[in-house]
Amino acid sequence: MTTAWNWEYQTYDPKTERLVESLCTVGNGRFATRGSAPESVADDHHYPATYLAGCYDRLTSEVAGRTVSNEDMVRLPDWTALRYRCLPDDDAPGNWLTPDHPSLLLSRVRLDLRAGTLTRQMLFHSTDGHRLGVTHTRLVHMGDPHLAAQRTVFRAYGWRGNIEVRAVLDGDIVNAGVDRYRALAGRHLAEHRTGTERGETAWLSCVTATSRIRIGLAVRMSARPPTDIDSDCTATTARQTLVLPLRGKTAEIVKTAALFTSLDRPATDPAQQSIVYAQQAPGFPALLTAHRASWQRLWNDGGLKTPGETGRILRLHAFHLLQTLSPHTAELDVGVPARGLHGEAYRGHVFWDELFVLPYLALHFPTTARAALMYRHRRLPAAREAAVGSAAKGAMFPWQSGSSGSEETQRLHLNPRSGRWLPDHSHLQHHVGSAIAWNVWKYGQSTGDTDFMHGPGADLLLNVAHFWAGSATWDPDLSRYRIRGVVGPDEYHDAYPDATAAGIDDNSYTNVTAAWTLGRALDLYAELAPARRAELLVHLGIGADELHMWDDVSRRLYVPFHHGVISQFHGYGDLAELDWGAYRDRYHDIRRLDRILEAEGDTPNRYQVSKQADTLMLGYLFRPDELAATFHRLGHGVDDVLWRMTVEYYLRRTCNGSTLSSLVHGWVLARMQGQDAWRHCQEALRSDVTDIQGGTTGEGIHLGAMGGTIDLVERGVVGLEPGPDGLHIDPAPLRDLPRSTFTLCYRGHQSIRVRFLPGRLGISVPRASLEPLSVILTGGRPVRISPGSERWFYLRR
């Protein structure tokens, strides 16, 4: 149940509690805490956890007779834990109460998106008529990235007595949030120390086992009415116990947490700093006021108003995006974690999901977008080293990245359907480099940040281009360059049938984006000052004449076709057709068709099946005119007829095993005004809130899909595309998304307001000492809007 700004759950169901915890996570871009009940402990239904952006640790495990090494985002000590039980005047002490206690009568969870707070209300009713109301309110402070707080209010109904409360700071923590990883080592915290200061402040320090990140966490506990606090500590846990009177009035406990680590700058003693910070932190009312003000600023800059249920879900998506990648993130050395700071799926790694997130950030929070790109730039040396190790050139970025920029993709993965550990070749998804290049280019188009584009941006773009130029080999029979031995976005096809070597050849998405990257690298190179050009050539180890070869590769890369459509890869059209109807009848849900086939002793490598959008990703990255121009550069004509046939071909052969698939399909169909566009858009919108993949959201949200749905409205439906000559607008109106309002920034202009209505578009530019904003509607001439004025446009249908 939801209202405009509240996301609510009116009943307690242990079967869906992990989903609630993920979707009710609160964070500030530096750290986040899952929306678990303070009374809960990690078990089959609950998983209290806090994660710090960029905090990784590596452990080794024995799996299927092999030693494997995995780097994980570390689950930190639990600062939220609270236990309590009633002490009636006329009865014996009751049991410790939890949401699973049989006396729970009512339960309600409310995530306030406007204020950034989580409230959990419970009413317990004992057999003798005694009732206890409990209300927890939690925040992770958006104004101060080191603070979090939780207020708990108790009220007795129909009885008088006391309540015993035990606040726990629990460091006995392991990473165990994903069933598939249970066979892997997960105890990342070591060398615990615990203690209390002045009775009111409990503290805990520890280090990560191998990365040696020092962590200090302190929790100040205050009570109303004031009362004495008893403390006791174990090697890994600090506990504070007190007794509060319940005699007609409410009683209140506040836990105020401060988190510091050795990753912070300037460097401090994390334990000591956390103690001082917790003790000096304001009270809960002041913290809440400041926290709300910070969220209001974020909503002013990054909010999106769309009516109905769609608008509520989009607001939830924006909320989770902003608390994973907030302005605080700009001060950190972190990337875009595919599952947010919400859970342990994908081990907290960074994939290509910034492709779906950075366009939004560049239009609303460009400093945060730049920081995400700088995460990649700082790992450019590691990518260059990886290329050397693979006898390649330039920079070979990893498919999965963590702390160092090394390849973190697992080499074995578990099929839970068959119980077998299988080779994993997804590290061959070198197209991640093109995603980085595309993000760099789009950031530059949105911001006009020439310092970045001529500096780190040029480093990234030209190094990725160098990798592609070096990876392309000439085929005299085709008179084309080819890129062999890769895996495309589909992921299902990691080899040819019965082949002993991994990888497929000439994935169209990979080759087309490689050609595009080479073209943009040459464009950017042409803009640079002579001294900067010379510097880049020296760093790349090439001469100016080699750039002519780059240009040749960008025009003559091989793109396969079959049956009048773009082939997903060379030989795709020769694979067998799957009996889709039989598999749907047999299994109903076939999103993870790869697991089904492997459990049957088969493989998707034999069939024309796709896990997710692959070739059709080209329609997500490039507008129709850009797509036609890119293929024209490669010597192919791709008109609306061929593209429509290609779209229809792959829609019939894709099982949507990724939340990104329906997003891309919805985007592509919306741009084509195709049937079923809204059905795919709806599936993308609801993929997390309804846990469409059956349990995966409880392991962490899908940040790319969430960010992509917002981008779907702004750049897909409204058709906004920033360029160096102005804001281009090419609407693709959907009947089910009739109107939207949002603000954006563009090349120095702040808080540009866009109002999209049926048949009309309004743009207002705030007063500023800037040049007029240039707006270009498709098929029209540029219109200049002066600061302090508004202009309305009629849209052609």
Side-chain angles (χ1 to χ4, degrees), residues 393 466 469-470 522 537 540-552:
K393 300 177 180 179
H466 194 201
L522 292 170
L537 293 181
L540 291 168
I542 63 174
D545 56 336
E546 192 167 336
L547 298 181
H548 296 297
M549 192 272 282
W550 289 20
D551 183 71
D552 192 48

Side-chain angles (χ1 to χ4, degrees), residues 208-289:
T208 53
T210 57
S211 58
R212 309 304 293 174
I213 298 171
R214 291 177 292 127
I215 299 163
L217 184 58
V219 177
R220 184 189 74 204
M221 187 167 74
S222 59
R224 185 180 57 83
T227 188
D228 293 336
I229 301 173
D230 294 326
S231 303
D232 66 284
C233 299
T234 68
T236 59
T237 301
R239 297 187 300 185
Q240 298 166 287
T241 304
L242 52 80
V243 175
L244 290 172
L246 287 176
R247 287 176 168 77
K249 296 182 179 180
T250 59
E252 178 180 293
I253 292 290
V254 174
K255 299 182 74 174
T256 304
L259 172 63
F260 285 82
T261 77
S262 55
L263 297 175
D264 297 329
R265 295 293 178 270
T268 63
D269 177 343
Q272 185 59 37
Q273 184 68 11
S274 67
I275 294 169
V276 173
Y277 217 75
Q279 291 176 337
Q280 295 179 350
F284 191 86
L287 286 173
L288 181 59
T289 299

Side-chain angles (χ1 to χ4, degrees), residues 511-779:
N511 285 14
V512 172
T513 56
W516 178 90
T517 298
L518 286 160
R520 299 296 76 72
L522 292 170
D523 291 343
L524 182 58
Y525 179 82
E527 296 178 9
L528 302 177
R532 177 60 171 146
R533 292 187 197 176
E535 179 187 34
L536 279 168
L537 293 181
V538 170
H539 288 173
L540 291 168
I542 63 174
D545 56 336
E546 192 167 336
L547 298 181
H548 296 297
M549 192 272 282
W550 289 20
D551 183 71
D552 192 48
V553 174
S554 76
R555 299 176 186 278
R556 301 176 73 182
L557 266 171
Y558 174 51
V559 180
F561 291 78
H562 74 277
H563 304 325
V565 302
I566 304 167
S567 297
Q568 184 168 304
F569 55 83
H570 177 71
Y572 184 87
D574 299 328
L575 301 178
E577 292 282 11
L578 185 78
D579 187 342
W580 290 88
Y583 273 85
R584 287 192 175 97
D585 289 343
R586 191 182 314 166
Y587 294 101
H588 183 61
D589 185 351
I590 59 170
R591 294 177 188 276
R592 291 311 305 262
L593 190 58
D594 58 332
R595 293 174 177 174
I596 292 172
L597 289 170
E598 192 279 328
E600 293 181 345
D602 207 343
T603 170
N605 285 331
R606 297 181 55 235
Y607 301 100
Q608 294 186 44
V609 300
S610 297
K611 172 187 176 184
Q612 63 193 76
D614 189 301
T615 305
L616 301 193
M617 270 295 300
L618 295 171
Y620 181 84
L621 294 189
F622 306 119
R623 293 183 176 278
D625 58 333
E626 295 175 308
L627 189 64
T630 302
F631 271 90
H632 178 74
R633 183 185 181 97
L634 288 163
H636 298 290
V638 174
D639 57 16
D640 290 345
V641 174
L642 188 149
W643 179 246
R644 188 175 294 273
M645 290 176 60
T646 300
V647 171
E648 292 173 353
Y649 187 88
Y650 288 106
L651 283 176
R652 296 195 300 269
R653 291 166 174 81
T654 304
C655 64
N656 296 321
S658 164
T659 56
L660 295 173
S661 191
S662 54
L663 167 68
V664 174
H665 290 160
W667 178 294
V668 170
L669 288 171
R671 299 302 305 173
M672 292 171 44
Q673 295 294 294
Q675 292 184 351
D676 289 335
W678 181 241
R679 178 175 65 82
H680 288 281
C681 292
Q682 275 190 311
E683 185 169 304
L685 283 164
R686 295 175 177 172
S687 58
D688 268 337
V689 299
T690 61
D691 199 9
I692 202 166
Q693 292 192 327
T696 63
T697 303
E699 302 167 347
I701 61 163
H702 298 82
L703 194 66
M706 285 189 168
T709 56
I710 305 169
D711 193 37
L712 169 67
V713 176
E714 296 184 352
R715 291 195 314 117
V717 175
V718 178
L720 193 67
E721 195 66 38
D725 55 343
L727 286 175
H728 292 253
I729 299 176
D730 181 17
L734 286 175
R735 182 185 61 188
D736 300 278
L737 276 173
R739 63 189 72 229
S740 58
T741 302
F742 53 92
T743 60
L744 59 90
C745 54
Y746 168 76
R747 295 182 172 240
H749 287 278
Q750 304 291 321
S751 301
I752 300 168
R753 188 172 185 83
V754 177
R755 284 188 282 176
F756 181 72
L757 304 174
R760 293 189 300 155
L761 176 77
I763 298 179
S764 60
V765 182
R767 293 186 182 278
S769 299
L770 296 168
E771 292 293 317
L773 174 70
S774 181
V775 175
I776 305 116
L777 262 66
T778 299

